[in-house]
Amino acid sequence: QVQVVESGGGLVQAGGSLRLSCTASGLTFDDHAMGWFRQAPGKEREGVSCIRWNGGSMDYIESVKGRFTISRDNAKNTLSLQMDKLKPEDTAMYYCAAHRHAHCMGFSDPRNYDYWGQGTQVTVSS
C-alpha cells in the first residue's frame, strides 16, 4: 500500500521561510518524478513544482521561481520544498504527489499524478 505523508507546514509571517517534507512508502520512489501542489480555499489545485526521478531537472510555476527550491533524497524516499520570502498569497494546503512517470511531463496537471498525501497547511500572515 502506497503512503505519502507531508509535514512541515505552519504559520509564518510574510518574508519568512518554511521547509516542507514528504515521505513516500510502498512504491519504488526513484521510478517517479515528484511534485508539490497547493490549493487555497475556493481555488483549483495548482502545481507548484516538480523534480525528475534523479533530481536532475526541476520545474516551478512562475510565481515561486527564485523563492522555492524543490529537492529529493532517493536513499530516504523523501521530497522537500524549501520556501523562502513567503507571501500571503502562498497561503494554501500543500500536497506532495508521485508522478506516474520518471519525468515531469505536464507537471502542473494533477491528472498526471497517481499518489497523493493528505496535505499540510501553510499560512502566511501579512
Side-chain angles (χ1 to χ4, degrees):
Q1 182 179 356
V2 176
Q3 285 193 315
V4 179
V5 180
E6 304 94 336
S7 62
L11 173 63
V12 65
Q13 287 189 331
S17 298
L18 279 175
R19 186 176 182 86
L20 304 184
S21 296
C22 167
T23 301
S25 60
L27 77 170
T28 304
F29 189 70
D30 56 8
D31 276 353
H32 299 267
M34 295 295 296
W36 287 100
F37 282 75
R38 65 186 180 187
Q39 188 167 19
K43 295 189 176 182
E44 292 187 354
R45 192 165 294 193
E46 174 183 52
V48 174
S49 183
C50 182
I51 186 167
R52 184 186 291 183
W53 71 277
N54 62 353
S57 176
M58 292 80 79
D59 295 295
Y60 300 94
I61 56 168
E62 193 64 34
S63 61
V64 307
K65 284 182 180 178
R67 301 189 298 121
F68 289 12
T69 303
I70 191 171
S71 60
R72 65 188 293 161
D73 184 340
N74 287 348
K76 297 180 179 180
N77 281 22
T78 59
L79 176 74
S80 298
L81 185 69
Q82 177 66 39
M83 305 187 295
D84 299 318
K85 301 178 183 177
L86 282 161
K87 304 176 180 179
E89 51 263 44
D90 294 318
T91 295
M93 185 72 78
Y94 282 71
Y95 299 90
C96 171
H99 198 290
R100 62 186 49 177
H101 299 298
H103 298 259
C104 296
M105 294 177 285
F107 89 91
S108 61
D109 188 342
R111 295 173 296 178
N112 290 322
Y113 295 78
D114 286 334
Y115 306 108
W116 293 82
Q118 294 300 305
T120 185
Q121 179 67 38
V122 171
T123 302
V124 184
S125 63
S126 57

